[in-house]
Amino acid sequence: MAIASVRTAEAAVGWTRPRRFGLDRDALLGILHALLLTRRLDERGHVLFKQGKLPGSFYTCKGNEAASVGVAAAMAPGDLAAPLHRNLGLHLYRGVEPWRVLCQYMGRVGGRPTGATRISAPRISPRGVGIVAGPSHLPSILPVAVGAALAFRVRGEARWRSAGSATAPRPTARRTSR
């Protein structure tokens, strides 16, 4: 019979590293809250889909929480984002209420400002949260995102972020250059 041993180690990252990036305890707790809320809401959506309570399909974001929330946390308040179908964390971190996400998933009024839809991917863009929700899936958000980035560039505003997908080779967070 093998005897289990327990190893203890110091934390790999102390408080000095997050402080270099301007993150205090409250900011880190906010990020953790958004990560946990994203995972829990995604799990709930998956359960509802398996129970047959969601119209259409369901796109899980499991494993992409840190990419979405990380990009959202790095955004300035005036920045604009065009999240993909797996970037639920960006929606939640930017201020979209969880009940709106569930309404969106279930095709109920309240999920979108324009009424119900049958797409279970988050396409919610209430005014003031800095999200451009795409008209559909991946390809159709590209012209919208490029048009918004071009408008910012013409006006001399650097306020754009893009949250990548886990299926992309490398998730990115970039500002447009002037």
Side-chain angles (χ1 to χ4, degrees):
M1 177 167 160
I3 298 175
S5 63
V6 177
R7 289 181 25 186
T8 59
E10 293 295 319
V13 177
W15 281 104
T16 58
R17 196 170 189 185
R19 284 187 183 145
R20 278 190 289 181
F21 298 109
L23 298 171
D24 59 1
R25 186 180 189 325
D26 291 336
L28 292 173
L29 287 174
I31 291 170
L32 178 63
H33 178 264
L35 289 169
L36 295 174
L37 181 61
T38 301
R39 174 61 66 96
R40 185 65 184 116
L41 199 55
D42 184 66
E43 288 172 347
R44 185 64 187 145
H46 193 247
V47 167
L48 289 169
F49 177 70
K50 291 289 186 183
Q51 291 174 345
K53 295 182 179 179
L54 300 184
S57 56
F58 179 77
Y59 304 101
T60 184
C61 65
K62 188 177 279 190
N64 293 356
E65 300 93 339
S68 320
V69 172
V71 168
M75 292 174 68
D79 286 345
L80 191 65
L84 300 177
H85 62 296
R86 298 189 193 278
N87 296 125
L88 173 62
L90 190 138
H91 286 84
L92 297 173
Y93 193 87
R94 295 289 287 185
V96 174
E97 298 96 344
W99 69 269
R100 286 193 184 273
V101 174
L102 288 173
C103 285
Q104 170 77 33
Y105 284 167
M106 299 181 81
R108 304 282 198 266
V109 175
R112 291 185 67 123
T114 57
T117 183
R118 297 182 65 84
I119 300 172
S120 295
R123 292 289 170 217
I124 305 161
S125 58
R127 293 182 190 266
V129 297
I131 295 175
V132 175
S136 183
H137 203 49
L138 298 176
S140 57
I141 189 65
L142 187 60
V144 176
V146 169
L150 179 62
F152 293 144
R153 185 173 186 159
V154 167
R155 292 190 306 224
E157 301 174 22
R159 46 177 263 191
W160 182 261
R161 299 283 192 281
S162 171
S165 173
T167 57
R170 289 184 305 222
T172 59
R174 298 182 182 154
R175 265 189 193 257
T176 57
S177 59
R178 289 188 186 196

